[in-house]
């Protein structure tokens, strides 16, 4: 019996993963912990997937609704999707098996702003939450739950579910205790109160989850690591994007629009975001802060160097090497990191008050500054909007980054009109590619278009974009935001039909990919 379970009554509820999984019934909605591959349940989802397979072999349907904080890992999303066991998935995923089923129409998916999920559950828009399946680092003698490496929506799952299943993971460091700030003061209108955070390090909650012991129906002991992918070393494109971003910050400081110590930083997930963080490490700045959603390897570098002194988030998203480094130095990081529920880490009021400088990735932007961060060719989901909408709409400065081309040059990431809109031109201040940076603030639509084309588009596609804008300005029904509606999405259609957005497929043939799968 693990010493991680100090509550006598909950020790008596320890059982196998299979027995715990058997408590979940077909058709139920299950709120599971997990956010960007951190703090997700490791054993029960795999046992549940095995049970689903047994039911399917007997010709019986066994599917559930799976609600999480964000993406999880193969042991959860992948296993349940392989078993054809997910009826509905929300609010964010990055699993290839789930993605394929969603795009094939065999799994329903709701893409939700991450700060909205808890409220939607409390309001009942998603239906009834039957079970919470949550990983914790330990259980205290009083029955409080020590969170693990992500917080996400766990507070809401525990509060709202009829029954709670706990995975106590002894791999997670007990020294995580004290890093978290679990706020229990949220309420629905008309009873809302201000979120009293005025600095990224302000603590307004308690360090542990509260859960009535009688609500817990099973406790499963595990010892398994979080699974996250290694980051690629920054390539030339990523380094160029980072350099443009750092140069932009320097200009903002010189203009007096932001202080020398900057404003709290938010960084999205991925290799480009990690390269931007690496650029900050080389900038010579110290004493910065972060109010963000996830902490990547680059953020650990900044904390260790003193470039950043305090980081607030809801979860980690670390490479295997980053996880090892964190676990070896938990005490150091615990004093410099606050992990919160995602409804607080992504809270619009707090983001706006703090004046966050936001940087997020995208799939494509159009010439007027609308951004698509979720869909390929308009119809196929990639991952989801995640927290980018929470930050883009409310940040002091909202930036989006991407290489100017993809698929070996067959795709331009700057197009006449995006095939799907996640962030409108009203929420996008700055677009950055390896080609340059377009500051769109204070510009009317046609001026924005000219700047994006000249500063951000790849030279191979720049003449095509200029030609489109000139012809649209001359021939569109109106000239405020001129579009040729019969042509605006022709670039995407051309890619689907020929494998390239370029007008000369023969010239692009050496780089041409197959049609998107």
């Amino acid at each position: 019996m693990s010493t991680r379970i100090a509550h006598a009554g909950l020790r008596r509820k320890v059982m196998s993963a299979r027995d715990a999984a058997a408590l979940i019934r077909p058709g139920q909605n299950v709120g599971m912990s997990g956010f960007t591959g951190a703090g997700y349940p490791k054993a029960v989802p795999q046992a549940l997937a095995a049970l689903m397979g047994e039911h399917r072999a007997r010709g019986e349907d066994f599917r559930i609704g799976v609600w999480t904080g964000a993406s999880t890992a193969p042991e959860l999303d992948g296993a349940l999707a392989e078993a054809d066991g997910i009826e509905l998935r929300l609010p964010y995923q990055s699993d290839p098996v789930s993605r394929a089923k969603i795009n094939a129409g065999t799994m329903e998916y709701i893409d939700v702003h991450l700060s909205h999920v808890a409220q939607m559950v409390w309001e009942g828009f998603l239906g009834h939450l039957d079970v919470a399946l949550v990983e914790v680092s330990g259980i205290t003698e009083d029955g409080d739950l020590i969170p693990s490496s992500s917080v996400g929506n766990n507070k809401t799952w525990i509060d709202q579910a009829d029954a709670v299943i706990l995975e106590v993971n002894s791999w997670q460091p007990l020294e995580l205790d004290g890093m978290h700030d679990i706020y229990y003061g949220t309420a629905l209108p008309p009873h809302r109160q201000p979120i009293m955070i005025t600095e990224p390090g302000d603590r307004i909650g308690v360090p542990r989850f509260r859960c009535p012991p009688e609500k817990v129906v099973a406790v499963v002991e595990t010892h398994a690591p979080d699974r996250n992918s290694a980051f690629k070393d920054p390539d030339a494109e990523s380094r160029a994007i980072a350099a443009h971003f750092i140069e932009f910050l320097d200009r903002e400081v010189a203009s007096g629009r932001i202080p020398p110590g900057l404003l709290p930083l938010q960084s999205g997930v991925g290799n480009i975001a990690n390269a931007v963080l690496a650029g900050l490490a080389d900038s010579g700045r110290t004493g910065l802060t972060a109010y963000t959603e996830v902490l990547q390897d680059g953020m650990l570098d900044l904390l260790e160097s003193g470039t950043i002194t305090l980081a607030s988030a809801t979860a980690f998203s670390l490479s295997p090497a980053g996880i090892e480094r964190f676990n070896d130095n938990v005490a150091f990081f615990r004093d410099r990191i606050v992990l919160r529920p995602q409804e607080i880490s992504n809270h619009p009021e707090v983001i706006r008050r703090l004046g966050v400088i936001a940087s997020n990735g995208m799939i494509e932007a159009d010439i007027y500054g609308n951004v698509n961060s979720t869909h390929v060719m308009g119809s196929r989901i990639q991952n989801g909007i995640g927290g980018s909408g929470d930050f883009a709409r409310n940040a002091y400065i909202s930036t989006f980054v991407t290489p100017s081309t993809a698929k070996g040059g067959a795709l331009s990431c700057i197009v006449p009109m995006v095939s799907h809109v996640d962030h409108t031109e009203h929420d996008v201040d700055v677009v950055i590619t390896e080609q340059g940076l377009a500051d769109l603030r204070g510009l009317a639509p046609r001026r924005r278009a000219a700047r994006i084309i000249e500063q951000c588009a790849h030279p191979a596609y720049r003449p095509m974009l200029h030609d489109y804008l000139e012809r649209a300005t001359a021939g569109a029904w109106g000239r405020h935001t001129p579009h040729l509606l019969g042509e605006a999405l022709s670039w995407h259609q051309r890619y689907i039909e020929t494998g390239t957005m370029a007008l000369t497929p023969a010239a692009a043939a050496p780089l041409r990919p197959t049609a998107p799968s």
Side-chain angles (χ1 to χ4, degrees), residues 234-251:
D235 57 17
E237 286 183 338
S238 298
R239 287 193 296 270
I241 290 169
H244 294 313
F245 182 74
I246 300 302
E247 183 181 356
F248 168 74
L249 294 179
D250 290 339
R251 291 200 303 268

Side-chain angles (χ1 to χ4, degrees), residues 245 248-253 255-259 262-267 291 351-360 388 390-401 426-432 437-441:
F245 182 74
F248 168 74
L249 294 179
D250 290 339
R251 291 200 303 268
E252 290 296 289
V253 171
S255 71
R257 282 190 286 265
I258 59 177
L262 306 183
L263 293 164
L265 302 170
Q266 178 263 337
S267 174
Y291 195 86
I351 295 167
R352 179 65 64 88
R353 181 186 300 120
L354 296 180
V356 169
I357 300 171
S359 178
N360 288 284
S388 59
D390 297 322
F391 286 94
R393 173 61 61 88
N394 300 288
Y396 182 67
I397 303 173
S398 171
T399 72
F400 282 89
V401 300
H426 311 291
D427 299 330
V428 180
D429 296 321
V430 178
V431 175
I432 311 173
L437 179 147
D439 186 347
L440 309 179
R441 295 172 297 176

